[in-house]
Amino acid sequence: MESSSALLPDLGTQIVIPVCAVIAIVFSLVQWLLVSRVKLSLENDVSDSVKNVQDAHGDYLIEEEEGINDQNVVETCVEIQNAISEGITSFLFTEYQYLGVFMVAFAILIFLFLGSVEGFSTKHQPCTYDKEKLCKPAVVTAIFSTLSFLLGAVTSVVSGFLGMKIATYANARTTLEARKGVGRAFIVAFRSGAVMGFFLAANGLLVLYITINLFKIYYGDDWEGLFEAITGYGLGGSSMALFGRVGGGIYTKAADVGADLVGKVDRNIPADDPRNPAVIADNVGDNVGDIAGMGSDLFGSYAESSCAALVVASISSFGITHDFTAMCYPLLISSMGILVCLITTLFATDFFEIKVAKEIEPSLKKQLVISTILMTLGIAIVTWTCVPSTFTIFNFGTQNVVKNWQLFLCVSVGLWAGLIIRIVTEYYTSNSYSPVQEVADSCRTGAATNVIFGLALGYKSVVIPIFAIAISIFVSFTFAAMYGVAVAALGMLSTIATGLAIDAYGPISDNAGGIAEMAAMSHRIRDRTDALDAAGNTTAAIGKGFAIGSAALVSFALFGAFVSRAGITIVDLLTPKVFIGLIVGAMLPYWFSAMTMKSVGIAALKMVEEVRWQFNTIPGIMDGHMKPDYATCVKISTDASFKEMIPPGALVMLTPLIVGVFFGFETLSGVLAGSLVSGLQIAISASNTGGAWDNANKYIEAGASAHARNLGPKGSEPHKAAVIGDTIGDPLKDTLGPSLNILIKLMAVESLVFAPFFAAHGGLLFKI
């Protein structure tokens, strides 16, 4: 039932999507060029400086302020940057060798499982949803699913790698710009984040769009088979993200815990002090976990939500009538998102200038609000021009009639739920608000009360995000069934370029602060980089909260697509098969959490012992006469991450296969529902607890208010209690929380990809 066709012709769609992706790539290159104008040489500083003149912030330029026309500072910054860059490159290339083996092995597994659905027959088969039509052979879908898996995996890896390159390119430049004012440093860090954000958004969109068009050459009018094969793209993206997140999380937190505990508590020196043996490993880890991991993670969410929407649309009126423009609605939403984010970015870099440190956090928050408001208008434009006024959506065996304004509400509710999650996360993790200040205040009576207050904060922070997600699922499902949930997830992810820019800004600022400390720059410069870093800590927490929230919607949409593909119309909790799956699924995030937390603990134990050993046995480290052995600490983190990432990864990747093959569809649907419900709660609370402990520590260290000064200074008993809370929270916020959101969506997309095999041959134990 369609009352009219879309206003945008198919040719327009063929032009608009690639053009928007190219615009994003060009914009990211422009930002890169602007960042590269900050030269890592003395000549730039001399030509840029204006002696004895104050800048717009009332701060003297560094050359006048401290008389530094000293090449040593610049050379030290470059030397540190190179050390960080070498550590990252070494880690990534080793990780990609492991991932390359996994990619090939799992690609073969996909082909064997899906090819065997019809015994590797090359004959055309009756379609799953319309038995009167003939669809392409199962073995062909197996080949194309394998190809799309490899494409998704490679795109995810490339996205993470390029993000790392720009981050390490920008960190020392941010430090050097901090000499000329906090505003200059902020712009360099934010532009660098924008390079990653826009390139990743364009990369994900363009590769998916090209893949669809290439597959369409073979599949022709068989859109059901075409979009079933495309689901491998999301599986490839998320499987790489899982290993990137777990491996990177173990690496960074082993180094961070070692640097913090021994440096701050034992030796009363800053974590980024060049005398600290774990300092290079710590700075490498910031990028490995928060840049490469987050990039791959959000790329996976984008790919999966697009795939879920396309699968459901292909068996709805869009697919049945071969309306290409309406079919590409998810991709058009993402294209509009790129344009909206481009305009939003200019507000931070060109329209308004940061003059004092306290303007940084509000400026980043404005990015989220502006992008959400503009995107709401963008969604309206795309919906009214690209979707018929009335159409039908597949809903567990029936076709529901949906109007285009209802679809607009589905996408918008996801978009605004994302903003609510971000604002709530900021409230619970920023030291500007009372929750974190209460946690800091609890340090007066020691580490135990700090831990109790932090855990309570994390549990409480779950409430509003869960209601936001629940309301968005209810509204979107009521209007447009599972397709509504999938596009709601896409709505949440539509401003991914801005979200990633803000998120990447955090580790870049953190590294900039570390470089300033290691280069022995003045307290004024360190104060500026600390202000950038404090805002970056909050944005990192916001980014993780957003990634977890979007993963919940994506996972539910994939779950719906899986159930549709399985031919199940209702999942009955009273059926023993389903209920056992439910309780086992709810247990899996705890098992996974135990593995990742213990992995960090084992690696951190080795790191702490090594750092203490170096301080105690290498004479002259504390005096600054001898350099610590940084390489050994880097090796400890690297070896631990590769060794320890395999068991949690195997748990996630093998569970759907084992349950589907031996217990069948119904039990697997219970496992997916259970893991989603429990994993979501643990992920949000763990991420926010860790973020709150981190910023409570920063609150005391900064001493920006009378209350904070009463708890300080650095080295006081309350500060030591805060450091212990911070180190406990490190694996919670940077390893456990971010990895769990990948668990819940990866199991769902894997189940969807292997659904044809489970439908044909699954449930072996119940067939005996």
Side-chain angles (χ1 to χ4, degrees):
M1 176 186 171
E2 293 194 29
S3 62
S4 64
S5 60
L7 294 175
L8 184 70
D10 287 356
L11 179 62
T13 304
Q14 298 275 17
I15 295 168
V16 166
I17 295 172
V19 164
C20 286
V22 170
I23 287 171
I25 292 169
V26 170
F27 184 73
S28 66
L29 290 174
V30 169
Q31 300 302 309
W32 175 287
L33 289 172
L34 290 169
V35 170
S36 68
R37 287 166 63 183
V38 181
K39 303 295 182 188
L40 295 181
S41 65
L42 184 64
E43 290 77 15
N44 178 71
D45 297 325
V46 174
S47 63
D48 244 13
S49 65
V50 182
K51 307 254 184 203
N52 298 313
V53 175
Q54 284 186 303
D55 68 5
H57 316 309
D59 292 333
Y60 283 100
L61 297 181
I62 188 68
E63 290 80 7
E64 186 278 328
E65 177 191 312
E66 296 177 39
I68 292 185
N69 273 323
D70 181 1
Q71 185 69 12
N72 290 338
V73 171
V74 179
E75 285 177 354
T76 304
C77 288
V78 174
E79 188 183 318
I80 297 162
Q81 182 194 47
N82 289 339
I84 295 169
S85 185
E86 283 169 19
I88 289 167
T89 305
S90 169
F91 172 82
L92 284 182
F93 277 117
T94 310
E95 182 180 56
Y96 292 158
Q97 287 170 16
Y98 280 87
L99 293 182
V101 173
F102 164 78
M103 276 165 55
V104 172
F106 207 77
I108 293 168
L109 195 68
I110 291 171
F111 174 73
L112 292 175
F113 269 63
L114 297 185
S116 65
V117 169
E118 298 292 344
F120 295 95
S121 167
T122 54
K123 293 180 182 177
H124 285 59
Q125 304 292 332
C127 296
T128 306
Y129 301 99
D130 187 351
K131 300 296 182 186
E132 294 177 6
K133 289 184 181 177
L134 286 179
C135 285
K136 302 296 184 195
V139 71
V140 172
T141 300
I143 293 168
F144 280 102
S145 293
T146 306
L147 286 175
S148 61
F149 166 78
L150 292 171
L151 273 172
V154 170
T155 307
S156 179
V157 164
V158 168
S159 299
F161 181 75
L162 291 175
M164 297 283 282
K165 280 297 172 190
I166 181 61
T168 50
Y169 184 79
N171 52 20
R173 286 170 167 81
T174 304
T175 307
L176 293 174
E177 282 296 274
R179 302 178 308 167
K180 300 165 189 167
V182 72
R184 298 279 288 270
F186 170 80
I187 287 176
V188 170
F190 191 79
R191 283 194 200 282
S192 307
V195 175
M196 180 187 179
F198 281 90
F199 187 83
L200 187 140
N203 204 11
L205 176 65
L206 198 56
V207 173
L208 180 57
Y209 180 71
I210 291 169
T211 305
I212 290 169
N213 278 285
L214 289 177
F215 283 17
K216 198 147 69 80
I217 294 170
Y218 172 79
Y219 276 98
D221 288 342
D222 178 14
W223 284 16
E224 180 188 307
L226 164 63
F227 290 105
E228 191 170 289
I230 288 290
T231 55
Y233 185 71
L235 176 60
S238 259
S239 56
M240 295 300 104
L242 175 71
F243 291 105
R245 269 298 200 192
V246 174
I250 292 167
Y251 184 109
T252 181
K253 290 306 107 181
D256 205 359
V257 170
D260 279 1
L261 274 182
V262 184
K264 291 181 179 179
V265 178
D266 288 9
R267 297 284 168 166
N268 199 22
I269 61 173
D272 289 321
D273 194 296
R275 294 171 291 178
N276 196 323
V279 69
I280 294 294
D282 188 8
N283 280 290
V284 169
D286 288 334
N287 293 284
V288 168
D290 278 343
I291 297 276
M294 176 62 85
S296 294
D297 181 3
L298 286 179
F299 165 76
S301 286
Y302 164 75
E304 286 161 337
S305 55
S306 300
C307 291
L310 291 168
V311 165
V312 179
S314 69
I315 52 175
S316 303
S317 64
F318 299 160
I320 295 165
T321 60
H322 298 96
D323 185 342
F324 185 73
T325 297
M327 191 71 210
C328 287
Y329 180 71
L331 279 69
L332 290 162
I333 288 289
S334 302
S335 304
M336 177 59 78
I338 285 172
L339 301 180
V340 164
C341 291
L342 193 153
I343 296 166
T344 306
T345 301
L346 297 177
F347 278 91
T349 57
D350 296 273
F351 297 162
F352 297 104
E353 188 182 8
I354 300 286
K355 295 183 178 178
V356 289
K358 66 182 181 183
E359 292 176 356
I360 297 171
E361 237 177 89
S363 175
L364 294 170
K365 194 173 178 180
K366 280 177 195 165
Q367 287 282 295
L368 301 175
V369 176
I370 292 167
S371 62
T372 302
I373 292 169
L374 292 179
M375 192 61 209
T376 306
L377 298 173
I379 294 165
I381 292 167
V382 172
T383 306
W384 265 272
T385 55
C386 303
V387 178
S389 58
T390 309
F391 51 94
T392 61
I393 290 294
F394 183 86
N395 180 25
F396 303 122
T398 62
Q399 293 281 353
N400 284 8
V401 176
V402 181
K403 293 181 169 54
N404 57 8
W405 64 265
Q406 293 174 315
L407 195 59
F408 162 74
L409 288 177
C410 292
V411 186
S412 299
V413 77
L415 173 68
W416 283 91
L419 180 64
I420 290 166
I421 291 169
R422 284 161 155 162
I423 290 171
V424 170
T425 305
E426 184 199 19
Y427 175 71
Y428 280 106
T429 57
S430 169
N431 55 29
S432 303
Y433 302 104
S434 60
V436 170
Q437 291 171 12
E438 285 175 3
V439 172
D441 188 64
S442 70
C443 295
R444 287 184 295 112
T445 50
T449 44
N450 180 27
V451 169
I452 292 166
F453 269 74
L455 289 172
L457 178 147
Y459 298 147
K460 190 177 179 183
S461 71
V462 172
V463 177
I464 297 174
I466 293 296
F467 276 118
I469 292 166
I471 291 166
S472 59
I473 288 174
F474 179 78
V475 171
S476 54
F477 189 89
T478 301
F479 284 142
M482 276 301 170
Y483 185 72
V485 179
V487 293
L490 264 173
M492 194 178 278
L493 290 161
S494 60
T495 54
I496 189 173
T498 294
L500 267 171
I502 292 171
D503 203 67
Y505 157 87
I508 292 168
S509 301
D510 195 353
N511 267 196
I515 291 170
E517 183 78 53
M518 293 173 73
M521 295 175 106
S522 75
H523 284 295
R524 289 192 68 178
I525 296 169
R526 193 67 179 103
D527 287 345
R528 291 169 189 165
T529 58
D530 277 350
L532 294 169
D533 184 19
N537 272 337
T538 304
T539 61
I542 292 170
K544 292 181 184 89
F546 170 71
I548 294 163
S550 61
L553 283 180
V554 170
S555 179
F556 189 68
L558 290 165
F559 176 66
F562 162 74
V563 169
S564 298
R565 180 62 184 82
I568 300 171
T569 55
I570 189 165
V571 178
D572 186 358
L573 292 180
L574 296 177
T575 307
K577 284 184 190 177
V578 176
F579 193 77
I580 60 167
L582 192 70
I583 56 173
V584 169
M587 171 274 294
L588 285 175
Y590 289 92
W591 190 1
F592 180 85
S593 301
M595 285 180 169
T596 53
M597 290 290 283
K598 190 171 181 184
S599 296
V600 173
I602 291 167
L605 198 65
K606 290 179 185 172
M607 186 68 73
V608 169
E609 287 172 348
E610 171 63 26
V611 174
R612 280 179 177 158
W613 182 86
Q614 288 196 33
F615 273 127
N616 292 330
T617 58
I618 301 177
I621 286 185
M622 284 302 290
D623 301 332
H625 297 141
M626 284 287 289
K627 266 191 175 181
D629 180 5
Y630 299 128
T632 302
C633 292
V634 169
K635 188 174 187 305
I636 288 171
S637 271
T638 304
D639 291 350
S641 65
F642 294 139
K643 181 185 173 187
E644 300 292 342
M645 75 179 180
I646 295 168
L651 174 69
V652 177
M653 298 302 294
L654 295 177
T655 296
L657 294 178
I658 292 168
V659 175
V661 170
F662 292 105
F663 298 94
F665 260 132
E666 290 176 297
T667 306
L668 182 54
S669 63
V671 167
L672 295 179
S675 64
L676 166 59
V677 170
S678 80
L680 178 59
Q681 327 285 333
I682 302 170
I684 295 174
S685 64
S687 184
N688 289 348
T689 291
W693 276 328
D694 188 357
N695 274 338
N697 179 36
K698 290 277 192 302
Y699 176 74
I700 294 173
E701 288 180 350
S705 67
H707 177 240
R709 286 190 290 274
N710 287 337
L711 296 168
K714 291 180 183 179
S716 67
E717 289 307 312
H719 177 242
K720 287 181 179 179
V723 171
I724 291 169
D726 184 11
T727 50
I728 296 170
D730 277 335
L732 289 175
K733 71 181 173 66
D734 289 325
T735 311
L736 172 56
S739 302
L740 272 176
N741 81 68
I742 300 174
L743 174 144
I744 59 179
K745 60 186 181 180
L746 181 53
M747 284 174 51
V749 74
E750 188 180 345
S751 301
L752 175 59
V753 170
F754 286 96
F757 178 83
F758 299 150
H761 306 296
L764 294 179
L765 290 181
F766 295 127
K767 291 177 181 176
I768 296 171

